[in-house]
Amino acid sequence: MSIRTATSHPPTAAPQDMRGLRLEDAPSLRTDLSVPTPAPGEALVRVRLAGVCGTDLAILRGYVSFCGIMGHEFVGEIVAAPDAPQREGQRVVGEINVVCGRCAQCRAGRSSHCERREVLGIRGRDGAFAQYLTLPLANLQAVPDDVPDEAAVFTEPLAAALQITRQVHVRPGQRVLVVGAGRLGQLIARVLRLTGCDLMVAARRERQRALLTADGIRWVSEDDVGAGSYDVAVEATGAPGGLALARRALRPGGTLVLKSTYAGTVPVDLAALVVDEITVVGSRCGPFAPALRLLAHGLVDPTPLIDDRFPLADAEAALQRAAQPGVLKVLIDCR
Amino acid sequence: MSIRTATSHPPTAAPQDMRGLRLEDAPSLRTDLSVPTPAPGEALVRVRLAGVCGTDLAILRGYVSFCGIMGHEFVGEIVAAPDAPQREGQRVVGEINVVCGRCAQCRAGRSSHCERREVLGIRGRDGAFAQYLTLPLANLQAVPDDVPDEAAVFTEPLAAALQITRQVHVRPGQRVLVVGAGRLGQLIARVLRLTGCDLMVAARRERQRALLTADGIRWVSEDDVGAGSYDVAVEATGAPGGLALARRALRPGGTLVLKSTYAGTVPVDLAALVVDEITVVGSRCGPFAPALRLLAHGLVDPTPLIDDRFPLADAEAALQRAAQPGVLKVLIDCR
């Protein structure tokens, strides 16, 4: 028996069942989900690999209310594209915001803030922890041949890291601190390293530190972060303690980048922000094409961050593994 | 009998007494203060007019701990300048940060954030509610002849308003909201108007609204501020409610300018800042030369904001008057 999933498309003539990790009250692996039918302008994508992100874990903890197939980091291949049959067979990654193109934000060139957006596996649209997904063709970017699936699956979080340099002009001579060396912090550090800035990462765990050292990136324990000495500090822990550390590390007139969506409401000393003329920049999704370029040119290699890999049938175990302290990227093989 | 004031200079051969409003535990008018002696590189300034600022009132409420002569907004004339006698007689206003010129911030061109700074009437240096003050010659800017004292005394807060357009590129087509139409909000609105932006001011009081209308600036009641519709919002109330209103008014990707130094620690929804990619900019002191140009060219006329004027002998009454709800600028005549 097939059930309709969050994105409700008309059933195909011969509905096909698929496997996927669906969240209702709790996540559960289902084998009776319908293979979705692409809407006009969309493509059907067979998922090869998906990645578990901190946001997935935050969703499980109730950060946002979502009901549907989880997951938003993936690499796959187009298996049906009625409006662009020449793209069938193409290996792709996908921008996660599905936008209307007509609202004020879209028309102003801020489509990632579309007022009617759906977000793959996060808001109103079935995600990537499944054998198939659909996305608009415009969201799907071809993956260069020399980027393996295990690197391409990092495109979405790497794009999120690149959003920092899109929003903030990080200059070669500047002192930059990344607070947190988890999944996202590691990618952020690898992106910021490319600016030639004087980079430091506040890292807690031995494994995090070893990974940074292997890429020539300096780390420091949180206790040893110099106060008032960084031009830019990036908060990538999602914890109030990380925010306080990043704030304290900044020089007057410095820039604090917030890169975590799950810190919630935190007391902030606004008077001190004014006196020290701090700029705080909230930063979310980023550009895919530059991320693919960095991967294709070998300028960022995210594959050492892969800690484990599970078949889709064990997706629940993959989430549990990703939630263990200190675990970096966990992949789900959806083929 | 003369007592030594917060800035301790060697007593002159023939010490002269002066009148001033000195804060210890409470503000009190004193007639036995020493006329200060300019240190090398400094000038002695006879104060003509001084203005009462929200920061003065915040100091009285304990926002910062300060002991000395209050006041930082003034216009006066140089009466002694041993290192630049040609400037004696010059009518001047004064930048309030007295800086070391040698610390990391000064050397990086951020001298208003000097690590060893004294701030006139705010931190470690006697201020302007007195017959005389001293400041480094470099802090003293000549006032053009066609700017009356009653306008020149607004140079410091007008410079603070200009710091917004120094930090944030406010574009002609943008929708800009100023929250608060008090002393500072009125000046901010008059500065932002010059950008050609689509300006709106959230104003509570009839008098505030009438002043805005008289300058062709549109206002709106707080309840009628449209949500999610402004590119830039400036918080100029110093109250958490003003912050919430400014935040709510911003479109995704918008810029929130914090212009009040006395809101303290406030709960902020950081996750929402990230999701909406809001930039928050703390903004404090600004450039004097552009402020004097705007006054000289008649592009900003602050004099309608003057609500009352007291002689220095009644400085305590001036502070009380300035603290009354809805009162805008109160001047103290120090001659």
Side-chain angles (χ1 to χ4, degrees), chain A residues 30-50:
Chain A
R30 303 280 290 267
T31 56
D32 59 349
L33 303 172
S34 300
V35 172
T37 305
E42 291 188 349
L44 179 67
V45 174
R46 182 188 294 131
V47 183
R48 292 177 169 209
L49 279 179

Side-chain angles (χ1 to χ4, degrees), chain A residues 260-321:
Chain A
S260 291
T261 50
Y262 39 99
T265 298
V266 172
V268 175
D269 184 347
L270 297 181
L273 290 187
V274 172
V275 168
D276 286 340
E277 296 196 311
I278 299 298
T279 294
V280 182
V281 178
S283 178
R284 189 169 47 101
C285 295
F288 268 47
L292 285 168
R293 277 195 286 274
L294 294 189
L295 293 173
H297 297 169
L299 290 167
V300 172
D301 176 11
T303 57
L305 307 184
I306 300 171
D307 268 346
D308 221 331
R309 189 166 172 158
F310 291 79
L312 181 55
D314 296 335
E316 291 173 70
L319 287 179
Q320 287 162 14
R321 176 83 174 112

Side-chain angles (χ1 to χ4, degrees), chain B residues 49-136:
Chain B
L49 280 179
V52 180
C53 167
T55 301
D56 298 318
L57 304 174
I59 287 171
L60 291 180
R61 292 193 305 267
Y63 153 66
V64 287
S65 155
F66 172 68
C67 178
I69 297 171
M70 297 183 67
H72 59 278
E73 300 178 2
F74 75 94
V75 56
E77 64 214 357
I78 294 176
V79 290
D83 297 336
Q86 75 283 5
R87 295 191 65 181
E88 289 177 9
Q90 196 175 60
R91 194 162 60 109
V92 292
V93 290
E95 302 217 27
I96 68 176
N97 295 289
V98 178
V99 304
C100 74
R102 295 183 305 274
C103 71
Q105 303 309 322
C106 283
R107 281 184 282 114
R110 297 186 292 268
S111 64
S112 70
H113 293 286
C114 168
E115 294 163 9
R116 291 186 278 270
R117 71 182 179 273
E118 298 173 345
V119 188
L120 189 75
I122 295 176
R123 186 202 287 191
R125 178 173 273 261
D126 279 332
F129 297 164
Q131 290 177 278
Y132 296 91
L133 60 80
T134 57
L135 272 177

Side-chain angles (χ1 to χ4, degrees), chain B residues 19 47-50 130-131 150 309-314 318 331-335:
Chain B
R19 182 174 287 163
V47 183
R48 292 175 168 209
L49 280 179
Q131 290 177 278
E150 288 72 14
R309 188 166 171 157
F310 292 79
L312 180 57
D314 296 334
L331 298 183
I332 300 175
D333 197 326
C334 299
R335 283 166 291 201

Side-chain angles (χ1 to χ4, degrees), chain A residues 105 110 113 163 243 251-252 258 260-261 264-268 270-271 273-280 282-284, chain B residues 63 105 110 113 163 243 251-252 258 260-261 264-266 268 270-271 274-280 282-284:
Chain A
Q105 302 308 323
R110 297 186 291 267
H113 293 286
Q163 181 70 351
L243 176 70
R251 54 111 170 141
L258 299 178
S260 291
T261 50
T265 298
V266 172
V268 175
L270 297 181
L273 290 187
V274 172
V275 168
D276 286 340
E277 296 196 311
I278 299 298
T279 294
V280 182
S283 178
R284 189 169 47 101
Chain B
Y63 153 66
Q105 303 309 322
R110 297 186 292 268
H113 293 286
Q163 180 71 349
L243 176 70
R251 53 106 169 145
L258 299 178
S260 292
T261 48
T265 297
V266 173
V268 176
L270 297 182
V274 173
V275 168
D276 285 341
E277 296 197 312
I278 299 298
T279 295
V280 182
S283 178
R284 189 170 48 101

